[in-house]
Each structure stands twice: as C-alpha cells, then as structure tokens.
Amino acid sequence: MEHYYLTLLLLFMSFITLSLFFLFYKHISQYKYPNLPPGKPGLPYVGESLDFLSTGWKGHPEKFVFDRKTKYSSDVFKTNLLGHPAAVLCGAAGNKFMFSNENKLVVAWWPDSVNKIFPSSLQTSSKEEAKKMRKLLPQFLKPEALQRYIGIMDSIAQRHFASGWENKDEVVVFPLAKNYTFWLACRLFVSVEDPAHIAKFSDPFQVLASGIISIPIDLPGTPFRRAIKASQLIRRELLGIIKQRKIDLAVGRASNTQDILSHMLNTSDENGEFMNERDIADKILGLLIGGHDTASAACTFIVKYLSELPHIFQEVYKEQMEIAKTKEEGELLNWDDIQKMKYSWNVACEVMRLAPPLQGAFREAITDFIFNGFYIPRGWKLYWSANSTHKNPEYFSEPEKFDPSRFEGKGPAPYTFVPFGGGPRMCPGKEYARLEILVFMHNLVKRFRFEKVIPDEKIIVDPMPMPAKGLPVRLYPHKAS
C-alpha cells in the first residue's frame, strides 16, 4: 500500500513539475523574437499584472508607465499583462500609431474576463459585436440627435439634486454622481426612470463594473465570479423590458425613436435581419456600463477640483448663472445654452486630463510590424496610456497644475489629450458625455458652494479613478438674491 501511495505522490509531483516547466517554457518562448522592445516580462502567466494594477490601487497609475519609460529610455517597452505578452506604446507618437492603424495593423482587444461577462448569444467575439454597435450608435449619439434629449437630461438632473443633495449639510459625491449618470442612461437608453426600478439595476451594476477588468479567476467570492452573476441578473431584467417594449411598439404605446432600445428593435443589418432579444440585452448591458461609469468619475473629480480651486469655481459659477438668468421659471436647458458653456467645458477637459476616466485601452497586433525601430510580433497585445501624454511635461507644461486655458483656441496638440481615445475607435458617446457633464455642472454650481470634508483624501484607480472615501463634501446653498 505504501508503494501505491508513493507512486501516486511521484506521479503528482511529476505532473506539477512538467506543468511548471511547460508554463515557464511557453512564457520564455513568447519573447524569443529578434529586436523586441526593451523591458521585462515578469513572472510566468502573471507577468507584471499585479504591478500594473497596484500602481492604480495606490493612486498613481502613471507610475507603471513612467518608471519603465525612464528605465528603458524608449517610447515603447515590452511586458506581460493579464496573461499575455504585451508592448506598451507611449507618447503622442504611440497614440497616433495605434489610432491611425486601427483594423490595418491592430484591432481592439479585451481581456478574457470581458468576453465571459458579456457573452454574445450569436457566439461571436466582443470585437465583432463592437463593430456592430459602432454602426448602430452614431445615428443615435450624434450631436443633432442628442439635442432633443437635453431637456430630459436637465429635468432628471433637477430631480437628482432635489432628492440627493438639497436640504443636506454633507453628501458623498461619488455614489451620487453614479446615481445621476445611471439614471440618465436608464432613461435615455431604455426609458426607465422610476427610481425604484432603477434601484434594481444599480447595485448589480456596481459589482459588474468592478469585475470587468479583473484577473479572470472563476471561483466563489472573486470579483470575476461576482461580476458574471451580476451580469446574468441584469440581463434577465433587461429581457423583461425588451419583451414589453416589443408589445408596446406593436400596439402604438411606444415610439420608434424614443430611445436606443426602440432604435435597436427597429434597425436591421445589411441582410435585413434584426437582432434577437438576447443580443439586444447584451448590447444594452454594455451601453449602460459605458454610458455612466466614466462620466460619473468625471463628475466626481469636477466637484473635487472646484472645491479645491475657488477662483476656478467662481468663473464656472459666473458662466452658468449668466445662462440661468436667461431662463423663465421651469424652462429647461437647450442646445444653445450648452454651446455657451465654453469655460465650463474647458474646466471639465482639464479635470479629465489630470484624472482621465479611461486610463488607456488594449489592442492586438494582427500582423508583424515595426514601431520606433522595434519588432512587434503578430498576436501580441498593445496598450496605450492616457497618462503617458496627459502628465508629460513634453506636451503639457507644469502637468500637475490645473489650467483650463490649455483648451482655449486650438487646444492641445493632436494625440496628446485622449480621454475618449482616438481614431476610428474614439468613444462614440463623447458628445453624450459632454452633455451630461455640463448639465451636471450647471445644476451643481447654481445651487451650492462646497468644500471637501477630507482635505487629503486618497485617490485610487480600479480601473477608473475614484476618491477612496467617495469624496464627502459640505454643502453651502447660495442665498436667494
């Protein structure tokens, strides 16, 4: 019997040894190409992922890029991120190369966690589904189409501030900003605006958002497993909304143009085929994530910087009150009002330069190519970082200084200010985000002055920037004149 157990133990140890050897060999063999960029791939499979993520958790996501850029004196370095060999392209030249070669040398890439959390009912990849969405969205999200929704945004903003901010001495900004942008997304994408109905989505969405860019370990209690369960719950709720909308459209209780959901149900592809219900649920799920998460981070940091910089607040307040004074009692904001908010938008842009909601994004090389004299093999992942230009003195003098005048006139040089990405894959919701941010600023500053409760509150990035305690502020309502 002892020999039996000893044999089992030896077989087990041999299996573990061979597995580790195979893992190590595979890891090393991925870096055998000639003239690769400088850099270190880190540990097998894990690579430098923990360092990449931990610099964000510590509030300095730019450190991962700038430390290696300084060490290797190059605008490109190799690493291993989320289990894949990768090259990180830095600076305006890297951004231009990546954005200009979309679908030529590179294509969008998402970690395995994204495909598993957002499975397509057609069994196609997230890349293919994203292409479909980019054909659908411009008709709905272009400025001319969005103009008719500004009044709705203002109405929801007023209800949001009345219920969440007014008659309170202190509030915590980040969860309130998420409530505001999520309320807007629910109303404009699927015509859901009842707070009780929205609350059904809200908590699972926060779980989902925190697990999207996580190490894809599908075990009980991990962020990844919780995100998968949350996506399933939300998808079931969305399917109920979609089924009811089809009935309402058929009997004339709903309009073909009232929101993105109606638009999807009434739009066919080049073959005359319509998306099925599960496909639409997946698309709406992705849109609700993208439509509120990044904007809520931007709104939160606008409050942070306005509370720290009274002279900036005063200029924003002056601009917004000039608009408010032209409105009749109960009159909502319109497109012309938004166009007058030039200084406020410059302030918002400077906030997104210093605290970009989108830290960067991945691509995949679809062919071998040379960048900056270095060889990038087909299949490697590529990463661009907003902070590699946003916080670089080569492109923005005194990069840590808050200066909205950087965006006057022609603004920053091309490929240096990239909070919405760039090229063919620039965020299609850029104009939507501009409107919801400006409507938020208008309703905020015309009601209150505010100051931070925690002067030195830590900022963490996971995967978007957020104040560690949610940014509690004291509110000081303006006195009626």
Side-chain angles (χ1 to χ4, degrees):
M1 186 63 72
E2 287 183 16
H3 290 296
Y4 174 74
Y5 285 121
L6 183 60
T7 302
L8 282 180
L9 179 62
L10 288 172
L11 285 172
F12 176 73
M13 293 301 295
S14 299
F15 173 76
I16 294 296
T17 303
L18 284 171
S19 297
L20 290 174
F21 175 79
F22 175 76
L23 191 64
F24 182 76
Y25 176 78
K26 182 181 177 184
H27 179 69
I28 294 297
S29 66
Q30 292 171 321
Y31 301 92
K32 289 291 189 182
Y33 301 96
N35 200 34
L36 290 173
K40 293 183 178 178
L43 297 170
Y45 187 71
V46 176
E48 295 190 297
S49 302
L50 291 178
D51 198 16
F52 175 71
L53 295 170
S54 68
T55 54
W57 300 334
K58 294 173 184 174
H60 303 286
E62 70 278 5
K63 191 174 187 302
F64 180 85
V65 172
F66 281 121
D67 281 358
R68 287 155 181 76
K69 191 175 184 306
T70 300
K71 183 175 182 179
Y72 303 120
S73 301
S74 172
D75 284 336
V76 57
F77 60 86
K78 72 172 178 283
T79 181
N80 184 296
L81 298 176
L82 306 179
H84 297 274
V88 178
L89 276 59
C90 308
N95 291 343
K96 180 179 181 180
F97 182 89
M98 202 96 78
F99 300 154
S100 303
N101 285 291
E102 191 73 42
N103 300 319
K104 301 172 188 172
L105 301 178
V106 302
V107 293
W109 178 81
W110 289 270
D112 291 341
S113 55
V114 176
N115 276 329
K116 289 178 181 175
I117 292 171
F118 295 102
S120 166
S121 58
L122 295 179
Q123 301 303 313
T124 54
S125 71
S126 53
K127 298 174 193 174
E128 294 303 315
E129 297 309 301
K131 288 179 184 177
K132 294 179 185 176
M133 287 303 294
R134 286 182 174 274
K135 291 179 181 176
L136 273 172
L137 289 180
Q139 301 167 53
F140 189 87
L141 294 178
K142 59 187 178 184
E144 312 88 81
L146 286 169
Q147 289 183 31
R148 64 179 179 268
Y149 299 112
I150 294 169
I152 296 173
M153 287 183 168
D154 191 22
S155 175
I156 289 176
Q158 290 181 29
R159 291 166 63 187
H160 165 76
F161 278 97
S163 62
W165 298 66
E166 290 175 1
N167 302 313
K168 291 181 172 60
D169 296 326
E170 287 186 11
V171 296
V172 182
V173 176
F174 188 50
L176 283 174
K178 287 198 286 188
N179 289 346
Y180 162 71
T181 57
F182 193 58
W183 192 348
L184 277 184
C186 286
R187 169 59 185 85
L188 294 176
F189 296 170
V190 292
S191 294
V192 171
E193 58 181 306
D194 173 40
H197 197 173
I198 290 169
K200 279 188 180 181
F201 288 105
S202 187
D203 289 343
F205 256 98
Q206 308 319 319
V207 174
L208 175 56
S210 65
I212 290 174
I213 306 297
S214 62
I215 297 173
I217 300 173
D218 190 4
L219 293 173
T222 62
F224 183 58
R225 170 69 68 87
R226 291 198 298 268
I228 290 174
K229 286 188 172 181
S231 74
Q232 292 168 347
L233 188 154
I234 298 163
R235 195 177 284 106
R236 285 196 296 270
E237 187 72 23
L238 287 172
L239 282 169
I241 293 172
I242 292 165
K243 289 178 187 298
Q244 185 60 49
R245 176 62 59 82
K246 290 176 83 170
I247 295 170
D248 292 344
L249 285 168
V251 300
R253 284 198 301 261
S255 160
N256 290 340
T257 58
Q258 72 184 55
D259 55 26
I260 282 184
L261 174 54
S262 282
H263 182 64
M264 286 183 177
L265 284 168
N266 286 286
T267 303
S268 61
D269 63 18
E270 57 271 18
N271 299 318
E273 295 182 2
F274 293 86
M275 281 190 286
N276 64 45
E277 292 175 3
R278 287 192 62 82
D279 240 17
I280 291 175
D282 288 338
K283 304 295 181 297
I284 295 290
L285 179 58
L287 281 174
L288 286 171
I289 286 285
H292 91 284
D293 235 24
T294 51
S296 61
C299 288
T300 300
F301 280 87
I302 284 167
V303 177
K304 173 187 182 295
Y305 283 105
L306 289 181
S307 68
E308 293 172 348
L309 303 164
H311 64 292
I312 301 292
F313 174 91
Q314 195 56 39
E315 289 301 311
V316 172
Y317 176 70
K318 178 182 173 185
E319 180 176 80
Q320 296 296 344
M321 289 310 295
E322 285 175 0
I323 293 167
K325 287 171 185 174
T326 67
K327 314 301 287 183
E328 299 290 338
E329 183 72 27
E331 184 184 354
L332 297 170
L333 291 171
N334 57 43
W335 181 252
D336 289 339
D337 298 324
I338 296 292
Q339 300 311 102
K340 295 173 184 174
M341 301 181 186
K342 290 184 170 58
Y343 182 79
S344 297
W345 184 240
N346 288 347
V347 168
C349 288
E350 181 69 343
V351 168
M352 289 187 286
R353 182 187 70 81
L354 286 165
L358 179 68
Q359 297 294 302
F362 285 97
R363 300 287 190 269
E364 181 177 33
I366 55 177
T367 184
D368 301 342
F369 62 82
I370 302 294
F371 173 75
N372 212 30
F374 295 106
Y375 178 74
I376 308 294
R378 178 174 179 264
W380 270 40
K381 311 314 174 206
L382 304 146
Y383 183 77
W384 63 267
S385 162
N387 284 312
S388 80
T389 54
H390 286 197
K391 294 190 175 180
N392 190 329
E394 182 182 343
Y395 309 113
F396 296 97
S397 61
E398 297 181 85
E400 295 301 325
K401 180 182 178 183
F402 193 96
D403 181 8
S405 70
R406 302 179 197 273
F407 297 90
E408 293 174 359
K410 293 182 179 179
Y415 302 104
T416 60
F417 179 63
V418 289
F420 299 101
R425 291 200 53 77
M426 179 177 283
C427 174
K430 176 183 177 182
E431 187 63 24
Y432 171 83
R434 184 175 83 96
L435 297 181
E436 64 181 332
I437 289 169
L438 289 174
V439 169
F440 176 86
M441 292 177 75
H442 176 82
N443 279 279
L444 171 72
V445 302
K446 79 175 185 179
R447 285 173 171 79
F448 311 106
R449 288 187 304 104
F450 36 87
E451 66 180 17
K452 291 162 63 178
V453 173
I454 308 171
D456 56 350
E457 184 175 2
K458 182 184 174 184
I459 302 302
I460 57 177
V461 180
D462 185 27
M464 278 169 291
M466 63 188 81
K469 302 295 183 182
L471 190 64
V473 297
R474 294 186 188 90
L475 299 176
Y476 301 96
H478 298 303
K479 295 176 182 177
S481 55

